[in-house]
Amino acid sequence: MSDDGQHGITLIAFVGSVFSPYYAWARKRGRADPENHCALNVAIYSKGQRRWAMTERGQRHCARSADQFTIGPSQLSWDGDCLSIDINEVCVPFPHRIQGRIKLWPQQLFAYSTPLDAAEKHRWGPLSPASRIEVDLNAPDLQWQGHAYLDSNEGTEPVERGFHTWDWSRARMRDGSTLVFYDMQAPGADDRVLSLRFTPKGTVEPIATPPVQALPKTAWRINRRMRSAQAVKVQEQLEDTPFYQRALLQFDYAGEPLVAFHETLSVPRLVSPLVQAMLPWRMPRRA
């Protein structure tokens, strides 16, 4: 998010894209190679300049090393201090270009990683929950600075085997801490919740889990919720799809009013045949 709150951006670099219908179809035909299903998802949330791109690339278009990840015409690189993302992507179905460079400077690096499921086949951990970001795009013409969050997810099985639904949120506190709630639900099972505070000193502090606050269903009728002791307000709806939503929420924690990035994923919706048939229209593939 920009310091003035007027701009936002989300980037996700995939090796073995969990949302890819092509990867799912390849797994059904036998053992699929995740390196053959890479993508850079870019979503821009600026007034009058909303753009979204996610083109999957086959293995011959991609390369990875310890400090660089090339995905077709885009790439990510790490120099020990700064993560640079050079973007050259095209949106679909309307062919708007997203082109430029983003730089991210971690304020504190974490080596924290934790299983998300009982079988420990899916892991998550913030690499830098509090970072500074500089956005310099020429398509669209956007330049701004702000605060950012950087994390990592990995799994050794398809997402539908480990999860049903989750609600995730992160919020920046006045003291520079980052508050994260990872709330996972499944029919017939107890909720599994991670409630954590990542401090500027590099410590990870478990916190008491607030009660559930129901949120209005999305336009696609996705159920969603947030952990908060007080009522929660949807400040802005950023993404609303048949299986996934992203929004900015206003809530309160320990008497401090906060704004959270909040996401909900419905795995049954994701893997439904209808949604899998729709996804190529938003996620083209270059083999």
Side-chain angles (χ1 to χ4, degrees), residues 57-91:
R57 313 278 177 180
Q59 191 166 7
R60 68 189 182 95
H61 300 289
C62 304
R64 284 201 297 157
S65 67
D67 54 13
Q68 187 165 326
F69 182 18
T70 299
I71 311 170
S74 300
Q75 70 171 12
L76 300 85
S77 59
W78 170 249
D79 66 6
D81 178 59
C82 175
L83 177 65
S84 298
I85 306 105
D86 292 295
I87 304 169
N88 189 0
E89 299 291 331
V90 177
C91 308

Side-chain angles (χ1 to χ4, degrees), residues 11-113:
L11 300 103
I12 310 176
F14 292 94
V15 179
S17 173
V18 294
F19 302 138
S20 166
Y22 315 101
Y23 193 22
W25 298 332
R27 291 198 304 269
K28 289 180 180 179
R29 295 193 298 267
R31 186 173 178 83
D33 184 355
E35 300 282 352
N36 198 39
H37 301 275
C38 299
L40 179 64
N41 176 217
V42 185
I44 295 173
Y45 309 111
S46 293
K47 307 300 182 185
Q49 293 282 10
R50 291 205 172 195
R51 296 190 184 182
W52 193 97
M54 185 172 172
T55 298
E56 181 174 306
R57 313 278 177 180
Q59 191 166 7
R60 68 189 182 95
H61 300 289
C62 304
R64 284 201 297 157
S65 67
D67 54 13
Q68 187 165 326
F69 182 18
T70 299
I71 311 170
S74 300
Q75 70 171 12
L76 300 85
S77 59
W78 170 249
D79 66 6
D81 178 59
C82 175
L83 177 65
S84 298
I85 306 105
D86 292 295
I87 304 169
N88 189 0
E89 299 291 331
V90 177
C91 308
V92 293
F94 305 106
H96 298 295
R97 185 168 294 278
I98 303 177
Q99 190 171 44
R101 170 172 282 193
I102 292 172
K103 290 186 174 183
L104 181 144
W105 291 269
Q107 294 178 306
Q108 176 69 51
L109 288 171
F110 283 74
Y112 178 85
S113 181

Side-chain angles (χ1 to χ4, degrees), residues 165-167 214-225 234 236-249 262-266 269:
T165 303
W166 76 57
D167 290 270
L215 297 170
K217 289 185 178 181
T218 66
W220 281 97
R221 311 304 294 167
I222 291 180
N223 291 310
R224 52 182 172 167
R225 67 194 204 179
V234 178
E236 185 176 359
Q237 191 67 47
L238 301 175
E239 297 286 351
D240 187 357
T241 80
F243 66 92
Y244 174 85
Q245 74 84 37
R246 180 183 292 140
L248 293 177
L249 304 182
H262 177 269
E263 300 174 339
T264 306
L265 174 67
S266 171
R269 289 274 195 96

